[in-house]
Structures are given as structure tokens and as C-alpha cells.
Amino acid sequence: GAVVSQHPSRVICKSGTSVKIECRSLDFQATTMFWYRQFPKQSLMLMATSNEGSKATYEQGVEKDKFLINHASLTLSTLTVTSAHPEDSSFYICSASSGGTGELFFGEGSRLTVL
Amino acid sequence: AQKITQTQPGMFVQEKEAVTLDCTYDTSDPSYGLFWYKQPSSGEMIFLIYQGSYDQQNATEGRYSLNFQKARKSANLVISASQLGDSAMYFCAMTLSGGYQKVTFGTGTKLQVIP
């Protein structure tokens, strides 16, 4: 089946630094990818919709300048957490659709810890 | 706007028994898709089953079946012959107008399978 890969799976950084998380569709082209954030023991909250070749669409309350999304190709979307702070520590998950059945495939997730 | 409700924060089931995880949804859009995902402690989201709003029959995938009651706006997940490896968080989710759109997740149900 379709596979979506995220990298890195875990990252620890100092406050004030920027962190980039990659989301790749390995065996299909994804014109649209989605980025979610999940706090411990909570559900996934959609942050933004990433469209290949155009600007991402952010959900209400998500800071565009803090969470930069770039969907440069049909197989890669990146999320950059800029000037990270401890409150940005969370589990970030991307997803993409291979079309057809409407099935969405998720990456393995990236756990960010900001010290 | 669409909404997904999972009223069971936690469930226990005896190994080899069947269990039903509840999910109700709310949308005024006639075209939508319903999903169930499993999230083990490792964090990745595993697709289980999909039901389209126009599908006449309930979806089934191995030991998973979706009890789709459109009039009641419910999409309960039934897991038959529970296994210890089924212990995880289970999320009900919805998309509107096909599978390419953003996904709204419920709050999840933590299932624990007892030996």
C-alpha cells in the first residue's frame, strides 16, 4: 500500500532554534498533504493543508510565520517550526492521499521537544 | 462545520471477544467519508476502514467492520475476536466531499484488551 514517511521521528532542540520536519510520499504523488499536531492524550488537530506549488492553507489560530510549510514537489512537504519554544513541543503528523478510495495515509509522526 | 463525537474515553475487552467503539458525526453536507484509525503507543496512525456516505453496504476489512447508520449519523467500529495487539487509541474521523479534504478527528477511545 501507499507509504508516507516522516523525518526525523524524534528531535530535541534548544529554545529559539528552528526545526524542519519532512513528509514524503514514497510510492505515490500527493498534490495535497496535511499537517497535524497532537498533544499528549489528545486528538489530532489540523494545522494546515499543504498544496503542491502554492501557499499552504492554515487553520484558524495557527501562526503562519511560526509554522512554515513548503510543498515543493508532489512527493515532499516540509514543516519548519521557527524560533521554537517549549510550548511548541508536541507530536506532529503529516498525511497524504493517494486518491481513489479516499484513503489517507499518515506518516509515522515526529516528536518535537524544545528545551 | 463537521463534528465527530466519541463518547467512550476508554474501553476494556476480553481477548477473543468482540467490541464496539462508538462514533457519531454531524454534518449538513450530503457527501462525506468516515474513517477509523488506530494509534498504538508508538504514535503512528494506522488506517483501518473507510465508509463513504453513499455506500450502500457497511464497510468491512478483516476483523474490522463499520456499523454505518446514516439516519442516526453513527459510524461505530466493531472489532471481532479481539487480540492483545488491538490495545491502542482508536480515532473516528470524517472528511467532506471525498477523501482529499481535511480530516476532522474525534477525541479517541483507548481500548485495552485483557488476556
Side-chain angles (χ1 to χ4, degrees), chain A residues 30-31 53 66 95 111:
Chain A
T31 55
K66 158 81 70 182
S95 73
R111 190 167 302 282

Side-chain angles (χ1 to χ4, degrees), chain A residues 62-79:
Chain A
V62 177
E63 298 176 61
K64 300 178 182 181
D65 296 332
K66 158 81 70 182
F67 300 101
L68 299 179
I69 292 172
N70 184 9
H71 195 152
S73 76
L74 287 171
T75 59
L76 174 64
S77 176
T78 60
L79 168 68

